[in-house]
Amino acid sequence: MGVTLERALEIANQYPLAKKEEKLPLMMASGRILYSDLKSKVDDPRFDNSAMDGWAVREADCKEEGTILRIVGTSQAGSEEIPIVGSGEACKIMTGAQIPEGADAIVMVEDSTTQPNNVTINGPARPGFIRRKGENLAQGTVALSSGTVLTPACISLAATMGYADVSVVGKPKIAVIGVGDELTPPGEPLSESSIYESNTFGISSLVEKMGGTPRRLDLIKDSIDHLRETLVEAAESCDAIITSGGVSMGEWDIVRRIMEQEGDVRFWKIMMRPGGPPLFGTWMGKPIFGLPGNPVSSHVVFTVLVAPWMSSSMGVHEASRPRLSIRVRVMMEEPLKGAPGKLCMRRISIRQEGDKLIGSTRTHQGSGNIHSMVAHNGLSLLPPDSDCEEGDTIHALWLI
Ligand code: AMP
Ligand code: MG
């Protein structure tokens, strides 16, 4: 039977990753998760400045078109000495430069004609062209809060606020262990009965994409003693453990057996297809996900269970989470068969046509066929016991 996917996530979320702090130069922090709030060290803008190239003037002097003002000097971005603007006077000003004392409006350069010592004003003087000190951000404001994923715009804002270094959430180290007698690393000679091992590579790459550091450990050749040793090493050196294979009903399903006998199982089996038999619990106090061995199953379970757990565990805001998929509605071009009693996640291709998302499915769907994950870019979310007819709109995950 097992639990629903929602319940599985709820249970896993009770065992979050331990959050560690890492201080990094700003240049190294792109894409990382902010550990603590950042308060602005300065006002932004730092001082009243001009939004336009033109003339800093007194608005009251410029009520009539054709007014002639005496030029008192120039304020350019970065100038230290700025003239004062008195009545009947104008100071040449560049975008971003400080507003001279006495001036309260800007005339655009396009609205003026210049003589050697005077300027004729041919257009309006606008106070609205002054960018006010602190109008974007007052000093002391928390503009980036802990848990924010640092996008390029966030990096720019952190620099604006005066930060050369930032504290980010340390990348969790996650052990990845493949289990199965038949598994041989790619590049090595295959025997008659062996296959290339792929899951630990796929899962490690998913861990990396989610902001973790994978640590691939020895492949386990279906030996419970070797598995125990490796799990101990994993628990001692990593923050969480992911295994692939060996969680079904069979006698050789040693991950399930060792967890039942020596670990702490919180759930086994999720009501979903593919990916039915995953297991979750703790081993020596560390969260452990036992993913199924079928390559598609392990990939899908990672996407819908491990990835959201990693995100919320690292304290990431819902809106800015690193994620592997986006929930969307798609109109299916072909019928899809659901699964009795299980959430059914078939591989589908999603494309945009106008303002609609269209889904189709073409290749062989077997849960052993990792090529189906490459050929498609989505997963259906068909509720238990429901099929989809051609033309139906369904919920789906768009893989990104
Ligand atoms: P299991 O969950 O151990 O019963 O494995 C289910 C299927 O997935 C079998 O056909 C295995 O050969 C295959 N499999 C298990 N582990 C891996 C792996 N790490 N890489 C590729 N295929 C695997
Ligand atoms: Mg196996």
Side-chain angles (χ1 to χ4, degrees):
M1 252 286 280
V3 295
T4 61
L5 178 58
E6 291 71 33
R7 181 68 191 134
L9 246 178
E10 251 172 49
I11 295 172
N13 283 342
Q14 290 165 9
Y15 300 87
L17 285 159
K19 229 197 289 178
K20 287 173 287 185
E21 181 175 2
E22 187 181 345
K23 202 156 176 131
L24 285 180
L26 193 54
M27 271 306 286
M28 308 281 290
S30 184
R32 299 294 295 271
I33 299 161
L34 200 58
Y35 185 85
S36 38
D37 291 348
L38 288 191
K39 278 185 190 164
S40 185
K41 297 183 183 197
V42 291
D43 286 314
D44 174 40
R46 284 207 54 220
F47 36 76
D48 289 0
N49 70 72
S50 177
M52 294 285 167
D53 290 333
W55 301 95
V57 297
R58 295 183 174 212
E59 190 186 8
D61 286 346
C62 305
K63 295 290 180 206
E64 278 169 36
E65 216 178 295
T67 305
I68 296 172
L69 301 175
R70 193 173 72 78
I71 299 172
V72 291
T74 301
S75 172
Q76 62 196 46
S79 352
E80 297 290 342
E81 286 197 12
I82 295 150
I84 295 171
V85 172
S87 174
E89 293 176 342
C91 173
K92 192 169 191 167
I93 194 160
M94 308 303 167
T95 304
Q98 278 197 61
I99 303 297
E101 205 183 310
D104 58 12
I106 302 292
V107 174
M108 290 195 299
V109 72
E110 296 86 333
D111 290 337
S112 68
T113 36
T114 314
Q115 298 85 46
N117 300 315
N118 298 320
V119 54
T120 308
I121 304 300
N122 307 316
R126 296 189 222 232
F129 285 157
I130 298 178
R131 303 191 284 216
R132 302 285 170 193
K133 171 181 162 132
E135 74 179 9
N136 300 337
L137 213 56
Q139 185 177 356
T141 307
V142 174
L144 289 171
S145 57
S146 88
T148 302
V149 176
L150 294 171
T151 61
C154 294
I155 296 287
S156 194
L157 179 56
T160 300
M161 297 195 296
Y163 288 88
D165 306 292
V166 286
S167 277
V168 299
V169 176
K171 290 187 176 208
K173 216 193 249 180
I174 300 193
V176 181
I177 304 168
V179 179
D181 249 351
E182 71 283 27
L183 306 176
T184 299
E188 289 184 16
L190 287 172
S191 74
E192 276 305 309
S193 57
S194 61
I195 60 166
Y196 287 134
E197 194 279 322
S198 60
N199 290 351
T200 61
F201 294 93
I203 293 167
S204 297
S205 146
L206 288 164
V207 164
E208 243 174 353
K209 195 164 176 190
M210 285 303 298
T213 302
R215 173 160 185 237
R216 278 182 68 243
L217 292 166
D218 283 354
L219 287 178
I220 308 295
K221 299 282 191 185
D222 288 345
S223 143
I224 208 152
D225 290 332
H226 188 201
L227 176 60
R228 182 182 303 106
E229 265 172 45
T230 306
L231 287 177
V232 168
E233 189 195 341
E236 283 170 350
S237 62
C238 297
D239 303 303
I241 306 166
I242 300 176
T243 62
S244 111
V247 286
S248 299
M249 296 287 286
E251 196 183 329
W252 290 109
D253 288 323
I254 57 173
V255 174
R256 180 183 50 80
R257 266 179 45 212
I258 203 170
M259 280 298 294
E260 279 171 352
Q261 290 162 9
E262 304 172 35
D264 183 9
V265 177
R266 306 316 304 178
F267 69 75
W268 176 44
K269 289 190 182 172
I270 302 180
M271 292 187 282
M272 61 186 247
R273 179 182 290 168
L279 172 151
F280 173 81
T282 57
W283 174 269
M284 293 170 62
K286 296 285 167 73
I288 174 168
F289 290 85
L291 305 190
N294 272 314
V296 172
S297 307
S298 65
H299 221 85
V300 168
V301 176
F302 190 102
T303 304
V304 298
L305 178 69
V306 186
W309 169 81
M310 280 182 75
S311 254
S312 62
S313 208
M314 289 189 277
V316 181
H317 296 312
E318 188 77 41
S320 71
R321 286 190 163 182
R323 58 180 75 226
L324 302 176
S325 62
I326 304 172
R327 205 184 157 94
V328 291
R329 304 260 302 154
V330 298
M331 204 274 282
M332 287 303 301
E333 278 183 333
E334 290 115 20
L336 277 182
K337 218 166 160 35
K342 290 179 175 177
L343 170 68
C344 183
M345 289 181 278
R346 295 193 177 276
R347 270 69 71 211
I348 60 174
S349 291
I350 301 175
R351 65 178 194 278
Q352 190 142 23
E353 272 185 21
D355 56 2
K356 270 219 170 86
L357 296 179
I358 310 291
S360 61
T361 175
R362 295 207 168 96
T363 65
H364 171 54
Q365 291 273 334
S367 60
N369 179 15
I370 192 66
H371 183 249
S372 72
M373 290 294 293
V374 175
H376 292 105
N377 63 350
L379 295 170
S380 70
L381 291 171
L382 284 181
D385 309 305
S386 71
D387 297 331
C388 148
E389 306 299 332
E390 180 188 332
D392 282 357
T393 297
I394 61 165
H395 285 286
L397 294 177
W398 195 348
L399 304 175
I400 47 178

